Amino acid sequence: MAGIIERYAKHLPVTEKTPRLTLHEGNTPLIFAPKLSEELDLEVYFKYEGLNPTGSFKDRGMVMAVAKAVEEGSHTIMCASTGNTSAAAAAYAARANLRCIVLIPNNNIALGKLAQAMIYGAEIIAIEGNFDQALKIVRDICEKHPITLVNSVNPYRLEGQKTAAFEICDTLGKAPDVLAIPVGNAGNISAYWKGFKEYYEAGVVDSKPRMFGFEAEGAAALVKGEPIEQPETLATAIRIGNPASWDLALTARDESNGHIDYVTDEEIVEAYRKLASMEGIFAEPASAASLAGLMKMRKLGRIPAGQQVVCVLTGNGLKDPNIALKSVGVDPVVVESTEEAVLGIITQGAGV
Amino acid sequence: MAGIIERYAKHLPVTEKTPRLTLHEGNTPLIFAPKLSEELDLEVYFKYEGLNPTGSFKDRGMVMAVAKAVEEGSHTIMCASTGNTSAAAAAYAARANLRCIVLIPNNNIALGKLAQAMIYGAEIIAIEGNFDQALKIVRDICEKHPITLVNSVNPYRLEGQKTAAFEICDTLGKAPDVLAIPVGNAGNISAYWKGFKEYYEAGVVDSKPRMFGFEAEGAAALVKGEPIEQPETLATAIRIGNPASWDLALTARDESNGHIDYVTDEEIVEAYRKLASMEGIFAEPASAASLAGLMKMRKLGRIPAGQQVVCVLTGNGLKDPNIALKSVGVDPVVVESTEEAVLGIITQGAGV
């Protein structure tokens, strides 16, 4: 299967000169969830974006941003990021022979999260400041020098990301009734809405879904109506206090007759575990905000029974396995090396 | 895209009663490698199995093994594993509502590697013994009790794994000239060969590839012609001293006019870094044995220029990010939080 630029060229800002750059992003599975469907009295699917090349939905937007950078003659891309964005930027830069510079704050660097960007060959610079300062420096440098900014203010990012909405419609043969999605920087909910609207306007589908976005309680800027100075949540990928696509997200909500709400960290962890242990899907903690939100909406009666719902899972669980370990929270039972000892544990049903 | 059982039903031991179990395994990308193709004077593709649902090729065999377990009325599956097999077993057991028991040796448990199996809900039992003892206990218990063994001696595992060969042929419209693949337990090279032969015999393709398998030097039982008591390599997924599919692997080699060789850990790490920094693909260290071996074969003149080669990448790099960090081996440059300081580093080209 070709990548998104080739498959969706006529719906994207690509020209004959746009390189058909790809790591075979997109074409991610839409996984039906039989048990959660029954439990919630809905028809539930998961759009599992963790199976993109670098493990998150960011690849869709980044392949567009990097391809356009190449088309425009750029030789260097730059972003401020400590997570999924830097991995995607570094991978596509490697593929396209561009230099990739990643700015990170020096406080609390989790090197594990940067392993991907580093192995893809990005140059990492840590500043003695916070994330906002890193982003400001990146923006200032990219304004004055021939370096392409690939943070989410780059408009090609949302263009690429909207292709996930196309894929959902292509797979189902129609738009779902409801799209449930985690909200951090609010770019993804905006991109999906753009994609659904464009497919509707092009006559590919004859309806649009209601958009339900879910922030983490400790980073619920949209729900609370004001930026959060010190956002806090274990779902690091949506730990954002001042979403860049604030207005677009509210537009998606209002135009679609949808809703934006928050979920607690406890609800996120519960959904995260259910997803893995009931349906066999291991996603990033932040991804589980979509399922956590859906469960909350059903309890509150905001989504009627019988509806077809697609929950977006934005990233692969392997990005952050420590949360899995902490959430399970027990060490394995240790027994002597005999058949009898092992059978004893199995019969008690007392394994971990 | 449907999973492998549905897509390849007529080539698999499935009946009407076999459940169409799936997490949308398979359908993994075949990624062309422009830069390595030029460097090696070959046409090089990577079959990137890291984009399977649990991050490795094991999902193909496990979906078959678990579906057949369900068909046969089993309620519990069991395996000895500290890595990819346990993750795959646990995920499909969760999906199929089976109990999953994983036996591990208690020495040197890397809990990170078990995070996946645990979050999917497997019951982990550690024994005070080594891996061979764990496997023996599992085999003994499964012989005497209604528990399905899903280690690689389960014949359905290879049946499922052979579908990767089908996909390569389906994508290329033909069989490649050469298939390069890491060899640990030797099941995968045997499965691919089975798949290529079956497609050839069914008339789907009119040729078969030469099979080139690569062991790690410290675990090169097939190359040395005898089991290795204490196998050692940083490529943990192929750290196996006594391959279960020993004879099948030699048959694949001989029938295909192929070759089995070893690569050093240094060669594996070099290939692992090239793969990420040149082509933008992050695979498990063990996966890079296929590229490392291909580079060695070209140096030795054992594969002629111009050939079409598919290298199998068995697992996702996110399974073992610590090797990436160690292999890059440097901390980021830290500078003060000003545009000038950052520009100074960029201009020197002295970022990490």
Side-chain angles (χ1 to χ4, degrees):
Chain A
M1 182 71 79
I4 62 154
I5 293 181
E6 197 163 324
R7 286 168 62 214
Y8 293 113
K10 70 173 180 177
H11 297 282
L12 292 171
V14 302
T15 70
E16 281 176 15
K17 288 183 185 158
T18 312
R20 265 48 181 174
L21 181 68
T22 190
L23 285 166
H24 298 249
E25 59 292 327
N27 190 31
T28 54
L30 187 70
I31 307 176
F32 177 61
K35 283 173 256 183
L36 285 164
S37 291
E38 194 180 332
E39 180 174 313
L40 296 172
D41 198 5
L42 296 167
E43 184 187 339
V44 180
Y45 294 85
F46 291 99
K47 182 65 173 166
Y48 185 29
E49 291 286 284
L51 296 192
N52 274 298
T54 78
S56 87
F57 74 98
K58 303 273 182 180
D59 293 337
R60 294 180 188 271
M62 199 57 76
V63 71
M64 269 304 307
V66 174
K68 294 305 278 190
V70 172
E71 184 178 353
E72 289 157 9
S74 178
H75 297 286
T76 306
I77 63 171
M78 191 167 182
C79 66
S81 165
T82 56
N84 293 336
T85 298
S86 66
Y92 286 95
R95 188 78 184 170
N97 271 325
L98 301 186
R99 190 174 170 197
C100 176
I101 299 163
V102 176
L103 229 63
I104 59 171
N106 195 31
N107 55 332
N108 304 314
I109 300 176
L111 274 184
K113 280 247 161 189
L114 281 172
Q116 270 187 292
M118 291 170 84
I119 192 81
Y120 290 129
E123 300 168 44
I124 318 279
I125 303 173
I127 60 155
E128 285 164 348
N130 62 26
F131 181 83
D132 288 339
Q133 290 169 302
L135 183 58
K136 180 167 190 321
I137 292 173
V138 171
R139 294 180 78 145
D140 288 346
I141 289 176
C142 291
E143 248 171 44
K144 297 176 205 157
H145 298 84
I147 297 178
T148 304
L149 175 71
V150 297
N151 276 102
S152 61
V153 289
N154 180 315
Y156 298 118
R157 292 273 307 277
L158 293 202
E159 289 295 320
Q161 283 171 218
K162 77 184 179 191
T163 59
F166 297 163
E167 288 182 8
I168 290 170
C169 296
D170 289 345
T171 304
L172 294 175
K174 60 188 273 296
D177 298 315
V178 169
L179 193 284
I181 186 167
V183 172
N185 210 24
N188 213 21
I189 188 173
S190 310
Y192 271 82
W193 182 237
K194 190 170 196 300
F196 285 122
K197 278 202 299 185
E198 288 181 11
Y199 247 32
Y200 177 78
E201 283 154 17
V204 183
V205 291
D206 59 11
S207 68
K208 290 169 284 185
R210 295 175 67 197
M211 304 293 288
F212 281 74
F214 300 102
E215 298 182 292
E217 184 181 30
L222 300 182
V223 174
K224 292 176 182 166
E226 58 183 24
I228 312 292
E229 281 291 327
Q230 300 285 348
E232 261 318 318
T233 167
L234 61 71
T236 52
I238 54 171
R239 190 195 286 161
I240 291 165
N242 193 6
S245 300
W246 188 302
D247 293 340
L248 287 174
L250 297 189
T251 301
R253 177 194 67 186
D254 297 338
E255 286 184 355
S256 74
N257 189 26
H259 184 61
I260 294 179
D261 210 322
Y262 68 76
V263 286
T264 66
D265 277 9
E266 292 68 32
E267 289 168 327
I268 288 173
V269 169
E270 187 197 346
Y272 170 74
R273 296 191 63 171
K274 268 178 180 272
L275 199 52
S277 63
M278 288 175 71
E279 305 291 357
I281 305 171
F282 184 37
E284 264 200 309
S287 299
S290 59
L291 173 58
L294 182 63
M295 298 194 305
K296 180 173 177 180
M297 292 302 98
R298 282 294 289 151
K299 265 187 215 146
L300 297 177
R302 293 196 71 126
I303 296 176
Q307 296 235 302
Q308 187 183 58
V309 181
V310 172
C311 292
V312 177
L313 302 175
T314 45
N316 198 308
L318 292 170
K319 291 262 189 175
D320 196 356
N322 289 330
I323 301 275
L325 287 175
K326 273 185 219 155
S327 126
V328 177
V330 272
D331 285 337
V333 182
V334 183
V335 299
E336 58 175 316
S337 179
T338 66
E339 192 180 328
E340 293 67 34
V342 173
L343 263 179
I345 299 293
I346 294 176
T347 317
Q348 291 165 37
V352 169
Chain B
M1 180 73 79
I4 63 155
I5 293 182
E6 196 162 328
R7 285 167 63 212
Y8 293 113
K10 70 174 180 176
H11 298 282
L12 292 171
V14 301
T15 69
E16 282 177 15
K17 287 184 185 159
T18 312
R20 266 49 182 173
L21 181 68
T22 189
L23 285 166
H24 297 250
E25 59 292 327
N27 188 32
T28 54
L30 188 69
I31 307 176
F32 177 61
K35 284 174 252 183
L36 285 164
S37 290
E38 194 180 331
E39 180 174 311
L40 296 171
D41 199 4
L42 296 167
E43 183 185 338
V44 180
Y45 293 84
F46 291 99
K47 182 66 172 165
Y48 185 29
E49 291 286 283
L51 296 193
N52 274 298
T54 78
S56 87
F57 74 98
K58 304 274 182 178
D59 293 337
R60 293 179 187 273
M62 199 56 77
V63 71
M64 270 303 307
V66 174
K68 294 305 278 189
V70 172
E71 183 178 354
E72 289 157 9
S74 177
H75 297 287
T76 306
I77 63 171
M78 190 169 182
C79 65
S81 164
T82 57
N84 293 335
T85 298
S86 66
Y92 286 96
R95 189 80 184 168
N97 270 326
L98 301 186
R99 190 174 170 198
C100 176
I101 299 162
V102 176
L103 229 62
I104 59 171
N106 195 30
N107 55 332
N108 303 317
I109 300 176
L111 273 184
K113 280 246 162 190
L114 282 172
Q116 270 187 290
M118 292 168 83
I119 192 80
Y120 290 129
E123 300 169 44
I124 318 279
I125 302 173
I127 59 155
E128 284 163 349
N130 61 26
F131 180 83
D132 289 340
Q133 290 170 301
L135 183 57
K136 183 168 186 319
I137 292 174
V138 171
R139 294 180 77 144
D140 289 346
I141 288 176
C142 291
E143 249 171 43
K144 295 175 208 159
H145 298 83
I147 296 178
T148 305
L149 176 70
V150 296
N151 275 103
S152 60
V153 289
N154 180 316
Y156 298 116
R157 292 274 307 275
L158 294 202
E159 289 295 320
Q161 284 173 217
K162 77 185 180 191
T163 58
F166 297 163
E167 287 182 8
I168 290 170
C169 296
D170 289 344
T171 305
L172 295 175
K174 62 189 273 293
D177 299 315
V178 170
L179 192 285
I181 186 166
V183 172
N185 210 25
N188 212 22
I189 188 172
S190 309
Y192 271 82
W193 182 236
K194 190 169 196 298
F196 285 123
K197 279 203 298 186
E198 288 182 10
Y199 246 31
Y200 177 78
E201 283 154 17
V204 183
V205 291
D206 59 11
S207 68
K208 290 169 284 186
R210 295 175 68 198
M211 303 292 289
F212 281 74
F214 301 101
E215 298 182 293
E217 184 180 31
L222 300 183
V223 173
K224 292 174 182 167
E226 59 183 23
I228 312 292
E229 282 291 327
Q230 300 285 349
E232 263 316 318
T233 166
L234 61 73
T236 51
I238 55 172
R239 189 195 287 162
I240 291 165
N242 193 8
S245 300
W246 188 302
D247 293 340
L248 288 174
L250 298 188
T251 301
R253 176 194 68 186
D254 297 340
E255 286 184 355
S256 74
N257 188 28
H259 183 60
I260 293 179
D261 211 323
Y262 68 77
V263 286
T264 65
D265 277 7
E266 291 69 29
E267 289 168 327
I268 288 173
V269 170
E270 187 197 347
Y272 170 74
R273 294 191 63 170
K274 267 177 181 273
L275 199 51
S277 62
M278 287 176 72
E279 304 291 356
I281 305 171
F282 183 37
E284 263 201 311
S287 299
S290 59
L291 173 58
L294 182 64
M295 298 195 306
K296 180 174 176 179
M297 291 302 97
R298 281 295 289 152
K299 266 187 212 145
L300 297 175
R302 293 196 73 127
I303 296 176
Q307 295 234 303
Q308 188 183 57
V309 181
V310 172
C311 292
V312 178
L313 301 176
T314 45
N316 197 311
L318 291 170
K319 290 261 189 176
D320 195 357
N322 289 330
I323 303 275
L325 286 175
K326 275 184 215 152
S327 125
V328 177
V330 272
D331 285 337
V333 182
V334 182
V335 299
E336 57 175 319
S337 179
T338 65
E339 193 180 329
E340 293 67 35
V342 172
L343 263 180
I345 299 293
I346 294 176
T347 317
Q348 290 165 40
V352 169

